[in-house]
Amino acid sequence: EDQVTQSPEALRLQEGESSSLNCSYTVSGLRGLFWYRQDPGKGPEFLFTLYSAGEEKEKERLKATLTKKESFLHITAPKPEDSATYLCAVQAKWDTGRRALTFGSGTRLQVQP
Amino acid sequence: ETGVTQTPRHLVMGMTNKKSLKCEQHLGHNAMYWYKQSAKKPLELMFVYSLEERVENNSVPSRFSPECPNSSHLFLHLHTLQPEDSALYLCASSQLHGATEAFFGQGTRLTVV
């Protein structure tokens, strides 16, 4: 069974205080690992896809990295508008028959001015 | 319109009512999904449709009945729901091959009274 564990559950940062969110995963045959941002009452917004260990992706103040067991979402000099819940999800290889994403519980990030 | 559109955004229904949730995607994708998001819990996969055929059914009670008439539309028919079914219901779509990240709609906030 695919499993995704995110930590911490909640994180409060001061504006400009960099930090990292962790996503540990177990999946037999990784097709891809995905990061999403979700604002309250809205659907998740796609951020990144990572396919293989060692891969990195960047977007503005966010940088996602991947190893064989975990992924990190690094937030550099965050701003209040970065406050949201960040979700990690994994997808198994297509030939396993498991086509949908398995999500973690998310990290609720609050950035204070 | 672009992206994934869900209607209605909010729904309050009694336990004896019958209602339907609608999802439409304008991304040219060939897979569509229903997820349930309850407070403090990870997104739970309900159904997956691939090329209009249901390919995954995650042990969802029969009071939830999906319908996928074509690759752009997905419905979730609801009847005799329970209060514990109150949640945010999210529709998503993706490609089957290549870049397979899922894109989500804004969700339907369902309250069962």
Side-chain angles (χ1 to χ4, degrees):
Chain A
E1 183 181 342
D2 304 336
Q3 288 192 330
V4 179
T5 303
Q6 292 188 247
S7 61
E9 185 176 319
L11 181 62
R12 182 178 295 178
L13 300 174
Q14 292 296 122
E15 184 172 2
E17 180 187 0
S18 301
S19 188
S20 297
L21 313 182
N22 177 263
C23 171
S24 298
Y25 65 91
T26 303
V27 60
S28 23
L30 179 69
R31 170 71 175 88
L33 183 141
F34 305 84
W35 282 99
Y36 288 83
R37 169 194 171 126
Q38 187 175 25
D39 293 303
K42 296 189 176 182
E45 174 189 345
F46 170 71
L47 293 174
F48 303 110
T49 308
L50 301 167
Y51 291 107
S52 57
E55 189 175 0
E56 299 182 352
K57 295 273 180 74
E58 285 190 66
K59 180 180 179 180
E60 296 180 354
R61 295 177 292 282
L62 300 177
K63 178 180 176 181
T65 61
L66 181 66
T67 72
K68 290 186 177 180
K69 294 184 178 181
E70 57 190 352
S71 177
F72 291 93
L73 185 65
H74 307 278
I75 304 177
T76 303
K79 298 182 177 182
E81 53 263 40
D82 294 321
S83 298
T85 296
Y86 290 86
L87 301 173
C88 173
V90 296
Q91 184 182 45
K93 289 187 185 297
W94 215 241
D95 56 10
T96 64
R98 306 192 307 279
R99 291 166 174 77
L101 305 181
T102 299
F103 281 85
S105 298
T107 293
R108 292 190 312 279
L109 173 65
Q110 184 178 7
V111 182
Q112 296 183 316
Chain B
E1 293 192 41
T2 59
V4 181
T5 304
Q6 290 186 242
T7 54
R9 291 294 312 277
H10 302 274
L11 178 63
V12 179
M13 59 185 290
M15 289 189 285
T16 58
N17 292 157
K18 290 184 179 180
K19 296 287 184 183
S20 296
L21 310 185
K22 179 183 176 182
C23 176
E24 184 174 0
Q25 61 97 1
H26 304 273
L27 299 169
H29 289 162
N30 48 22
M32 296 188 77
Y33 312 79
W34 280 116
Y35 281 89
K36 175 184 178 181
Q37 188 174 36
S38 305
K40 307 284 186 180
K41 295 176 70 175
L43 272 76
E44 301 173 61
L45 176 68
M46 299 178 74
F47 302 103
V48 180
Y49 274 84
S50 171
L51 299 173
E52 301 154 40
E53 178 185 355
R54 190 189 311 177
V55 295
E56 282 189 54
N57 179 345
N58 219 24
S59 302
V60 178
S62 59
R63 56 185 183 269
F64 295 92
S65 175
E67 179 189 0
C68 187
N70 55 61
S71 60
S72 299
H73 294 85
L74 185 65
F75 296 89
L76 188 63
H77 304 299
L78 316 172
H79 66 95
T80 59
L81 294 191
Q82 303 299 311
E84 59 264 29
D85 296 322
S86 299
L88 182 67
Y89 288 85
L90 291 161
C91 172
S93 69
S94 74
Q95 288 287 21
L96 289 177
H97 303 288
T100 57
E101 53 266 15
F103 290 85
F104 285 81
Q106 293 300 296
T108 295
R109 171 65 62 185
L110 174 66
T111 303
V112 181
V113 298

